[in-house]
Amino acid sequence: MKLSVEWLKDYVDIDGDIQKLSDDLTMSGSEVEEIEKPFEKIKGVISAEIIDVKPHSNADNLNVCKVNDGSKTYTIVTSDKSVKINDFVAFGPADTASDVDGKIVRSVDMRGIKTDGMLFSLEELGLESHSNRVFRFEKPVPLGDDIVKIFDLDQTVFEIEITPNRPDCLSHIGLAREVATVNRKILKIPEVKVDIPRGNVSISIESKACLRYLAVRIDGITVKDSPLWLKKRLASVGLRAINNIADVTNYIMMETGHPVHAFDFDRIPSSKIVVKNAKGGEKFTALNSKTYTLEGGEVLITDGNQTLALAGVIGGKDSGITQSTKSILIEVATFDPVRTRKTSKELNLSTDASYRFERGIDPNDTLYVAKRIVEMILSLSGGKVVGMADLYPNPIKFTVVKLSNKKLSSYMSFTPDPQEVSYIFNALEMKVSKDQNDWTVEIPTFRQDISQDVDLIEEFARIHGFDNVSAVMSMPFIQGDKNAWWDFKNKMRFLSTSLGYFENVNYAFSDPKAKRLFGDTFKESPELLNPVSPEMSIMRPSLLINLIDALTYNVKHQESDVKFFEIGKVFEENHEFEKIAFVSTGKIEPLDYTDKRMESLLNFKGDLETIANYFHLDLDFTNAEITGFTAGRCGKIVLGGETIGLTGELAEDVTDFFDLDLPIYACEFDLEKMFKAIQIFEYKSASQYPVSFKDLSMFVQKGKFQTSEIIRIARTSSEYVRDVRVIDFYTGKGVPPESYSITIRITYGSMDRTLLDYEIDGSFSKLMELLESRGITLRKVR
Amino acid sequence: MDDFEMLVETIKTQIDKVKDLDEVEKIRVATLGKNGNITSLMKKISTLPQEERANFGKKVNDLKMQIEKLLSEKTSVLKAEVLKSKSLERSIDLTIPGPLRSVGKIHVINHVINECVEVFSKMGFNVVEGPEIENVYYNFEALNTPQWHPARDLHDTFYISETLLLRTHTSPVQIRTMENQKPPIRIISAGRVYRNDYDATHLPSFFQMEGLAIDRNISIADLKGTLENAIKTLLGKDKIVRFRPHYFPFTEPSVEVDVSFAGKKEWLEVLGAGMVHPNVLRNVGFDPEKWQGFAFGMGIERIAMLKYGINDIREFPRNYLKFLRLF
């Protein structure tokens, strides 16, 4: 909502400066977002007199004029042939003057004649939407004076955010009421004197969504330009002048907040108004020259047959005011907010009128608004009131809301001064009375946002000022609970970052094309009905797609070593849950120049095991074919017998899709399942006796044995085995093809004594026999 | 100068020329060794007549001691030189940067969320979470925002179906909490929210933190006290906070909270808040005559941008290492 400060002064006296006014509005709930100077770009335009006019020797449609600004004479060329000697004009000298858009006037060559400037029209001064002729003063004016001063264009306008509950503030009078209340001033609502006789106008309402319809017929009007003061006011609030009828309807809307409409009465074929609901399928051509097809249910203003307007939204092209209009029908109506909003949404058409009607217009100001507009039209366009009709099927009345002093005090944390309370409510035009403990408040119909006691508390609080309420912390303290899941997620973050991974927070939308590369690896996920783009049209079924995308972005921007992780929601049909995912490429230790190792599947997997071990969990990894990953270099992650995730090297078609030419290692698992598997830590005392170590190297044939089996055999080979771990892994020279060499270290020990050599040797021999009996080639024993 | 003195001079000249310990040793052998010239002189003593012995002996002894002293002095000088050259060889230039371990960073979004959680946890607020795909009821209706309410214009909503949407704010968590928990209540909930609005200053998904306090007698003063304290803890004690009346369908009265960084010259909105609307309390079966309280919601990106001076909101979802390393 644009509020002109100069216009506001018609309704309320303003003390103090613009900033104070802005603060008063902002701090009572009408936030001033911008303080604008709508004409500030007009510079250097001065009053001048035409002293000579001659036809242009090279162009029939142009005249060459001499212009005097009181001290100097300039040459200009104009296409406005009505310019005559002794006309007083608004002249912009070249290189110094600029128009309302800030465009600087330049000297140009017009068919062989160099101009020293140009004559301004009202369009270039921002006061008209379209001008056919240059501006001429009606009377002589002093020469060389600044047009901004002469026209009083140094206007201030506030751009105000009006919240959806306050349609009454979408008007100058409404905002004046706010300013008056805050500053304890009197609100001056313009008086109306005209008496409009009833009759001579026929209306019928056949739609429940039309709450009131008043129409006034005025004959004998003259459509012409509005006076400058009116043009200036409309222009300052962003509305360009059209003609005196359209301008007055806009003016009344900006003044009272009530949208009004004018029909050309002679273009209403049946001469009567029928308000009814659209059946559906009708076509309607609006004032904006666009044709809309209606769904049905929209409220139409018709003549019984032909549609004249889309109620509360926009007028029709065929019933609008033209230069030749002589007789008009003024509509002051109220339509159902929800119905108006539906229509506006369906047709994707929001107008100043629909914006107000969908927030709620007071039907009880109808007569006042009608009188106000009739008075203005009669004074600006002439004419005579023929009559009016006013249908108001179900009149609404003020409501009464009670507010207990106890509740008011409890909310405010102090007991307000009763005089202040009654002043505030009265100033907001609510009648208030107080008995022992309660306030009884009559709510005017223009404040349909107030229906409960808390609404009244808000009225008091915002006018009293939130700044005038103390800031204390007096609520009873409640001991907070521990949220183990939340803490676990943070532990995961710290662990992952300490392993060199940077956390990502990616969008939760994914690209279905990228998902398809993974086949049925990821489940189907919900699709958006209205995505921002096809690449963001499904909810992510996995964190990996977007993580790989982020990794790609980094690789393409000179980051060759990328280790990322993300914790977040993934989505399946009717199910959302949290996962963690990791991706890695490049050097394992990019900042360590002594460590040249590149990321490998085993090292990557080791990071996951490190995390699991931290929580005393054993993750099992089993090789499996997974779409989207390289065959033989991927598998499932199993925890407690249940598959919770996957890991591996991305398949070539995936890296190709992302235009990457690097091995990318990726992993993802269900974080909630891991959390649930964590056991409360139980303390066990360690053995006091020394342990012994035995190392054993062997060849393992791929496809025949797995290291996990060997470890399991070793673990269960004797009661003295305390621990088994792999201490070396090797492939290459000396190792048969399709095999690898590993060395395991077995720790032998007992809780209650030091084991004897023969006990250890016996156990170890038994293990070797077990392994050899399974066909494993032992290499080295220590 | 007698013979002895000449001998000393000669040996002294020899020692002066010496460059390493081996040569010192050679001189020592040549003078004080078994067949050295000093040793020979010592042996000569016994062959001298009795009366000459004492004088001669003393001179030879002095000579020996002089030579020994010269040799030992030279030895320590040379040893010190050797030590010096060896330690340089073994030395490490500590200005060479050490090979670094790579440590990752938590994303600034979670960093800020954790800071907010810490501030409110200390005030007794519990962390709860809620679904991101929400029911229309929880996102709007239960929060006093019926269909066709103009306030829905402020929430450009992503829909999954007619009844399911991506939550446009964290406020549905309020409803879910109150449906499952009796007052008194103090909760906070941080998480992802979605709006169908994507340009240079708007992301289609961003993060919010919601808070809710319900008790017998919670007032606007408590709301102000709690939020002012939290904002100052998060953004700095020197910040000025103002509470500006606003409108949300689910709070009444409602405020927006602005912070001034430049001494009241410019106000930046950091959160929305208000007293929980009685209709919302009724929707979850709480009697608004018995229970009242406040709710608030703040934008995590907004706080992060103010805290660190980040000027492009699109940095957050980009996940560029040059950005991630900063925090």
Side-chain angles (χ1 to χ4, degrees), chain A residues 507 509-512 528 530-538, chain B residues 158 196 198 204:
Chain A
Y507 285 133
F509 313 113
S510 276
D511 184 352
L528 296 178
N530 53 338
V532 288
S533 72
E535 291 77 31
M536 299 167 87
S537 62
I538 57 168
Chain B
F158 285 112
N196 196 342
Y198 195 10

PDB file of all heavy atoms in Angstrom, chain A residues 507 509-512 528 530-538, chain B residues 158 196 198 204:
ATOM      1  N   TYR A 507      19.957 -29.544  -1.156  1.00  0.00           N
ATOM      2  CA  TYR A 507      18.499 -29.540  -1.269  1.00  0.00           C
ATOM      3  C   TYR A 507      17.958 -30.949  -1.053  1.00  0.00           C
ATOM      4  O   TYR A 507      18.650 -31.935  -1.286  1.00  0.00           O
ATOM      5  CB  TYR A 507      18.084 -29.078  -2.665  1.00  0.00           C
ATOM      6  CG  TYR A 507      18.231 -27.594  -2.879  1.00  0.00           C
ATOM      7  CD1 TYR A 507      18.845 -27.087  -4.014  1.00  0.00           C
ATOM      8  CD2 TYR A 507      17.736 -26.696  -1.943  1.00  0.00           C
ATOM      9  CE1 TYR A 507      18.978 -25.727  -4.220  1.00  0.00           C
ATOM     10  CE2 TYR A 507      17.871 -25.337  -2.143  1.00  0.00           C
ATOM     11  CZ  TYR A 507      18.490 -24.858  -3.270  1.00  0.00           C
ATOM     12  OH  TYR A 507      18.608 -23.508  -3.459  1.00  0.00           O
ATOM     13  N   PHE A 509      15.474 -31.892  -2.813  1.00  0.00           N
ATOM     14  CA  PHE A 509      14.889 -32.245  -4.116  1.00  0.00           C
ATOM     15  C   PHE A 509      15.966 -32.944  -4.938  1.00  0.00           C
ATOM     16  O   PHE A 509      17.134 -32.607  -4.824  1.00  0.00           O
ATOM     17  CB  PHE A 509      14.476 -30.990  -4.896  1.00  0.00           C
ATOM     18  CG  PHE A 509      13.692 -29.977  -4.116  1.00  0.00           C
ATOM     19  CD1 PHE A 509      14.231 -28.732  -3.837  1.00  0.00           C
ATOM     20  CD2 PHE A 509      12.408 -30.267  -3.685  1.00  0.00           C
ATOM     21  CE1 PHE A 509      13.510 -27.785  -3.124  1.00  0.00           C
ATOM     22  CE2 PHE A 509      11.682 -29.324  -2.988  1.00  0.00           C
ATOM     23  CZ  PHE A 509      12.233 -28.083  -2.704  1.00  0.00           C
ATOM     24  N   SER A 510      15.551 -33.869  -5.796  1.00  0.00           N
ATOM     25  CA  SER A 510      16.539 -34.505  -6.664  1.00  0.00           C
ATOM     26  C   SER A 510      16.058 -34.548  -8.101  1.00  0.00           C
ATOM     27  O   SER A 510      14.891 -34.313  -8.396  1.00  0.00           O
ATOM     28  CB  SER A 510      16.853 -35.919  -6.184  1.00  0.00           C
ATOM     29  OG  SER A 510      17.836 -35.864  -5.185  1.00  0.00           O
ATOM     30  N   ASP A 511      17.014 -34.924  -8.950  1.00  0.00           N
ATOM     31  CA  ASP A 511      16.761 -35.034 -10.379  1.00  0.00           C
ATOM     32  C   ASP A 511      16.348 -36.477 -10.689  1.00  0.00           C
ATOM     33  O   ASP A 511      17.128 -37.396 -10.470  1.00  0.00           O
ATOM     34  CB  ASP A 511      18.055 -34.655 -11.113  1.00  0.00           C
ATOM     35  CG  ASP A 511      17.880 -34.652 -12.621  1.00  0.00           C
ATOM     36  OD1 ASP A 511      16.818 -35.092 -13.094  1.00  0.00           O
ATOM     37  OD2 ASP A 511      18.819 -34.210 -13.310  1.00  0.00           O
ATOM     38  N   PRO A 512      15.134 -36.684 -11.202  1.00  0.00           N
ATOM     39  CA  PRO A 512      14.708 -38.067 -11.484  1.00  0.00           C
ATOM     40  C   PRO A 512      15.600 -38.755 -12.522  1.00  0.00           C
ATOM     41  O   PRO A 512      15.742 -39.979 -12.494  1.00  0.00           O
ATOM     42  CB  PRO A 512      13.269 -37.908 -12.001  1.00  0.00           C
ATOM     43  CG  PRO A 512      13.089 -36.468 -12.312  1.00  0.00           C
ATOM     44  CD  PRO A 512      14.092 -35.702 -11.514  1.00  0.00           C
ATOM     45  N   LEU A 528       6.861 -33.942  -6.739  1.00  0.00           N
ATOM     46  CA  LEU A 528       6.184 -32.675  -6.471  1.00  0.00           C
ATOM     47  C   LEU A 528       5.181 -32.375  -7.579  1.00  0.00           C
ATOM     48  O   LEU A 528       5.457 -32.618  -8.750  1.00  0.00           O
ATOM     49  CB  LEU A 528       7.196 -31.532  -6.403  1.00  0.00           C
ATOM     50  CG  LEU A 528       8.211 -31.598  -5.277  1.00  0.00           C
ATOM     51  CD1 LEU A 528       9.176 -30.425  -5.371  1.00  0.00           C
ATOM     52  CD2 LEU A 528       7.504 -31.555  -3.937  1.00  0.00           C
ATOM     53  N   ASN A 530       4.217 -29.309  -8.170  1.00  0.00           N
ATOM     54  CA  ASN A 530       4.617 -28.010  -8.726  1.00  0.00           C
ATOM     55  C   ASN A 530       6.087 -27.717  -8.429  1.00  0.00           C
ATOM     56  O   ASN A 530       6.415 -26.829  -7.651  1.00  0.00           O
ATOM     57  CB  ASN A 530       3.716 -26.902  -8.153  1.00  0.00           C
ATOM     58  CG  ASN A 530       3.669 -26.904  -6.636  1.00  0.00           C
ATOM     59  OD1 ASN A 530       3.940 -27.916  -5.999  1.00  0.00           O
ATOM     60  ND2 ASN A 530       3.364 -25.767  -6.049  1.00  0.00           N
ATOM     61  N   PRO A 531       6.995 -28.483  -9.052  1.00  0.00           N
ATOM     62  CA  PRO A 531       8.425 -28.272  -8.772  1.00  0.00           C
ATOM     63  C   PRO A 531       8.938 -26.968  -9.380  1.00  0.00           C
ATOM     64  O   PRO A 531       8.317 -26.429 -10.298  1.00  0.00           O
ATOM     65  CB  PRO A 531       9.096 -29.469  -9.452  1.00  0.00           C
ATOM     66  CG  PRO A 531       8.182 -29.834 -10.562  1.00  0.00           C
ATOM     67  CD  PRO A 531       6.784 -29.518 -10.078  1.00  0.00           C
ATOM     68  N   VAL A 532      10.074 -26.461  -8.873  1.00  0.00           N
ATOM     69  CA  VAL A 532      10.652 -25.253  -9.468  1.00  0.00           C
ATOM     70  C   VAL A 532      11.319 -25.577 -10.801  1.00  0.00           C
ATOM     71  O   VAL A 532      11.418 -24.723 -11.667  1.00  0.00           O
ATOM     72  CB  VAL A 532      11.671 -24.520  -8.545  1.00  0.00           C
ATOM     73  CG1 VAL A 532      10.988 -23.844  -7.396  1.00  0.00           C
ATOM     74  CG2 VAL A 532      12.764 -25.433  -8.053  1.00  0.00           C
ATOM     75  N   SER A 533      11.774 -26.824 -10.969  1.00  0.00           N
ATOM     76  CA  SER A 533      12.381 -27.218 -12.232  1.00  0.00           C
ATOM     77  C   SER A 533      12.347 -28.739 -12.334  1.00  0.00           C
ATOM     78  O   SER A 533      12.234 -29.420 -11.316  1.00  0.00           O
ATOM     79  CB  SER A 533      13.822 -26.716 -12.312  1.00  0.00           C
ATOM     80  OG  SER A 533      14.641 -27.472 -11.439  1.00  0.00           O
ATOM     81  N   PRO A 534      12.469 -29.295 -13.545  1.00  0.00           N
ATOM     82  CA  PRO A 534      12.453 -30.763 -13.679  1.00  0.00           C
ATOM     83  C   PRO A 534      13.592 -31.424 -12.918  1.00  0.00           C
ATOM     84  O   PRO A 534      13.448 -32.550 -12.442  1.00  0.00           O
ATOM     85  CB  PRO A 534      12.628 -30.986 -15.192  1.00  0.00           C
ATOM     86  CG  PRO A 534      12.312 -29.686 -15.842  1.00  0.00           C
ATOM     87  CD  PRO A 534      12.589 -28.612 -14.842  1.00  0.00           C
ATOM     88  N   GLU A 535      14.716 -30.714 -12.768  1.00  0.00           N
ATOM     89  CA  GLU A 535      15.859 -31.289 -12.048  1.00  0.00           C
ATOM     90  C   GLU A 535      15.618 -31.329 -10.537  1.00  0.00           C
ATOM     91  O   GLU A 535      16.411 -31.909  -9.808  1.00  0.00           O
ATOM     92  CB  GLU A 535      17.140 -30.473 -12.306  1.00  0.00           C
ATOM     93  CG  GLU A 535      17.683 -30.568 -13.714  1.00  0.00           C
ATOM     94  CD  GLU A 535      16.888 -29.719 -14.695  1.00  0.00           C
ATOM     95  OE1 GLU A 535      16.358 -28.672 -14.290  1.00  0.00           O
ATOM     96  OE2 GLU A 535      16.764 -30.138 -15.865  1.00  0.00           O
ATOM     97  N   MET A 536      14.557 -30.656 -10.081  1.00  0.00           N
ATOM     98  CA  MET A 536      14.270 -30.634  -8.650  1.00  0.00           C
ATOM     99  C   MET A 536      12.835 -31.113  -8.423  1.00  0.00           C
ATOM    100  O   MET A 536      12.118 -30.563  -7.605  1.00  0.00           O
ATOM    101  CB  MET A 536      14.455 -29.208  -8.110  1.00  0.00           C
ATOM    102  CG  MET A 536      15.865 -28.690  -8.278  1.00  0.00           C
ATOM    103  SD  MET A 536      15.993 -26.911  -7.980  1.00  0.00           S
ATOM    104  CE  MET A 536      16.240 -26.901  -6.212  1.00  0.00           C
ATOM    105  N   SER A 537      12.447 -32.156  -9.150  1.00  0.00           N
ATOM    106  CA  SER A 537      11.019 -32.497  -9.147  1.00  0.00           C
ATOM    107  C   SER A 537      10.643 -33.676  -8.265  1.00  0.00           C
ATOM    108  O   SER A 537       9.473 -33.942  -8.057  1.00  0.00           O
ATOM    109  CB  SER A 537      10.547 -32.758 -10.581  1.00  0.00           C
ATOM    110  OG  SER A 537      11.242 -33.850 -11.116  1.00  0.00           O
ATOM    111  N   ILE A 538      11.650 -34.402  -7.742  1.00  0.00           N
ATOM    112  CA  ILE A 538      11.290 -35.470  -6.793  1.00  0.00           C
ATOM    113  C   ILE A 538      11.972 -35.212  -5.461  1.00  0.00           C
ATOM    114  O   ILE A 538      12.988 -34.535  -5.388  1.00  0.00           O
ATOM    115  CB  ILE A 538      11.684 -36.889  -7.303  1.00  0.00           C
ATOM    116  CG1 ILE A 538      13.196 -36.957  -7.616  1.00  0.00           C
ATOM    117  CG2 ILE A 538      10.865 -37.270  -8.531  1.00  0.00           C
ATOM    118  CD1 ILE A 538      13.706 -38.370  -7.830  1.00  0.00           C
TER     119      ILE A 538
ATOM    120  N   PHE B 158       4.787 -26.029  -1.926  1.00  0.00           N
ATOM    121  CA  PHE B 158       4.994 -27.202  -2.781  1.00  0.00           C
ATOM    122  C   PHE B 158       4.015 -28.284  -2.351  1.00  0.00           C
ATOM    123  O   PHE B 158       3.913 -28.602  -1.158  1.00  0.00           O
ATOM    124  CB  PHE B 158       6.401 -27.774  -2.582  1.00  0.00           C
ATOM    125  CG  PHE B 158       7.498 -26.977  -3.215  1.00  0.00           C
ATOM    126  CD1 PHE B 158       8.426 -26.315  -2.423  1.00  0.00           C
ATOM    127  CD2 PHE B 158       7.640 -26.918  -4.589  1.00  0.00           C
ATOM    128  CE1 PHE B 158       9.464 -25.598  -2.998  1.00  0.00           C
ATOM    129  CE2 PHE B 158       8.677 -26.211  -5.177  1.00  0.00           C
ATOM    130  CZ  PHE B 158       9.590 -25.544  -4.380  1.00  0.00           C
ATOM    131  N   ASN B 196       7.917 -22.311  -2.514  1.00  0.00           N
ATOM    132  CA  ASN B 196       8.099 -22.346  -3.966  1.00  0.00           C
ATOM    133  C   ASN B 196       8.442 -20.949  -4.475  1.00  0.00           C
ATOM    134  O   ASN B 196       7.642 -20.272  -5.088  1.00  0.00           O
ATOM    135  CB  ASN B 196       6.838 -22.880  -4.641  1.00  0.00           C
ATOM    136  CG  ASN B 196       7.107 -23.299  -6.065  1.00  0.00           C
ATOM    137  OD1 ASN B 196       8.105 -22.897  -6.656  1.00  0.00           O
ATOM    138  ND2 ASN B 196       6.230 -24.104  -6.614  1.00  0.00           N
ATOM    139  N   TYR B 198      12.110 -19.058  -5.867  1.00  0.00           N
ATOM    140  CA  TYR B 198      13.519 -19.317  -6.138  1.00  0.00           C
ATOM    141  C   TYR B 198      14.101 -18.166  -6.947  1.00  0.00           C
ATOM    142  O   TYR B 198      13.819 -18.013  -8.116  1.00  0.00           O
ATOM    143  CB  TYR B 198      13.624 -20.632  -6.929  1.00  0.00           C
ATOM    144  CG  TYR B 198      15.010 -21.239  -7.002  1.00  0.00           C
ATOM    145  CD1 TYR B 198      16.059 -20.755  -6.231  1.00  0.00           C
ATOM    146  CD2 TYR B 198      15.254 -22.316  -7.837  1.00  0.00           C
ATOM    147  CE1 TYR B 198      17.307 -21.325  -6.297  1.00  0.00           C
ATOM    148  CE2 TYR B 198      16.519 -22.897  -7.909  1.00  0.00           C
ATOM    149  CZ  TYR B 198      17.533 -22.388  -7.136  1.00  0.00           C
ATOM    150  OH  TYR B 198      18.778 -22.966  -7.213  1.00  0.00           O
ATOM    151  N   PRO B 204      14.362 -22.305  -2.486  1.00  0.00           N
ATOM    152  CA  PRO B 204      13.133 -23.106  -2.407  1.00  0.00           C
ATOM    153  C   PRO B 204      13.083 -23.967  -1.147  1.00  0.00           C
ATOM    154  O   PRO B 204      12.038 -24.502  -0.800  1.00  0.00           O
ATOM    155  CB  PRO B 204      13.188 -23.967  -3.670  1.00  0.00           C
ATOM    156  CG  PRO B 204      14.618 -24.021  -4.041  1.00  0.00           C
ATOM    157  CD  PRO B 204      15.237 -22.728  -3.583  1.00  0.00           C
TER     158      PRO B 204
END
